Amino acid sequence: MMTIEEYVKLHRGCRREVADVMLRRLPEAVALWRSEQVEPQGRLQSSVITIDEVSGFVSINSGDDKSVTDADDVKDYGALIAELSVLLPKPDRRISMFADACRRGDYSSIGDVMLAVERRKSGNIYWYLLGVIVLLLVLLVILNRYT
């Protein structure tokens, strides 16, 4: 187990892997962490987040006993990924975009952040599917014309 900061430093050259941890696995871990607590407590900081390098499992250990809201979690998450993205050799625009949106308060919960990340990723496939459908229709018209 290592802290998230050590993980990012160690995997600096693997931008996709680091982006996956910051944009997918970390919000999932925050959601799980909060769902296990009766009263949400503890701020989200890089010192309380650990990751198992072999399995990639992200775990969070509560650091303090301050009560927090969902909005605090989102802002802390935005500040955290902004802090971690500075450690990358080349800035990742997507991570910066989500960090800024979280710090501005564009999302009301970690669940909203997770939905936004997935929409961004899965929305690209529709253009490819549309292209394949148009190509198949053109092929169908051409084949019907010559038969």
Side-chain angles (χ1 to χ4, degrees):
M1 297 291 273
M2 63 178 66
T3 65
I4 191 83
E5 192 170 322
E6 293 169 345
Y7 181 84
V8 171
K9 285 180 183 176
L10 184 66
H11 294 89
R12 292 171 52 119
C14 307
R15 280 185 33 184
R16 282 184 184 256
E17 184 176 333
V18 171
D20 179 59
V21 167
M22 286 198 275
L23 295 178
R24 284 197 172 56
R25 287 190 250 163
L26 186 55
E28 289 171 2
V30 172
L32 179 66
W33 178 50
R34 288 300 183 210
S35 70
E36 292 174 347
Q37 296 177 339
V38 176
E39 172 96 12
Q41 294 182 336
R43 299 299 292 236
L44 188 61
Q45 303 166 350
S46 62
S47 59
V48 299
I49 302 170
T50 56
I51 185 167
D52 184 2
E53 190 176 6
V54 176
S55 67
F57 180 72
V58 178
S59 62
I60 302 173
N61 306 312
S62 184
D64 55 20
D65 58 352
K66 295 178 184 172
S67 291
V68 294
T69 63
D70 286 342
D72 292 334
D73 278 342
V74 171
K75 288 182 182 175
D76 290 346
Y77 169 72
L80 177 67
I81 63 173
E83 171 189 328
L84 293 174
S85 68
V86 172
L87 300 174
L88 296 173
K90 202 173 176 185
D92 190 311
R93 216 175 95 204
R94 189 159 182 246
I95 293 173
S96 299
M97 180 186 70
F98 278 106
D100 293 341
C102 289
R103 289 185 291 184
R104 276 193 313 263
D106 291 353
Y107 306 111
S108 59
S109 69
I110 289 293
D112 291 343
V113 174
M114 291 167 58
L115 284 174
V117 168
E118 287 306 315
R119 248 185 261 137
R120 173 71 71 169
K121 183 70 177 167
S122 63
N124 294 339
I125 196 164
Y126 295 120
W127 290 109
Y128 297 118
L129 288 174
L130 182 64
V132 168
I133 290 170
V134 168
L135 184 67
L136 289 174
L137 285 173
V138 167
L139 185 63
L140 184 65
V141 167
I142 290 172
L143 289 175
N144 278 337
R145 183 175 272 177
Y146 293 111
T147 57

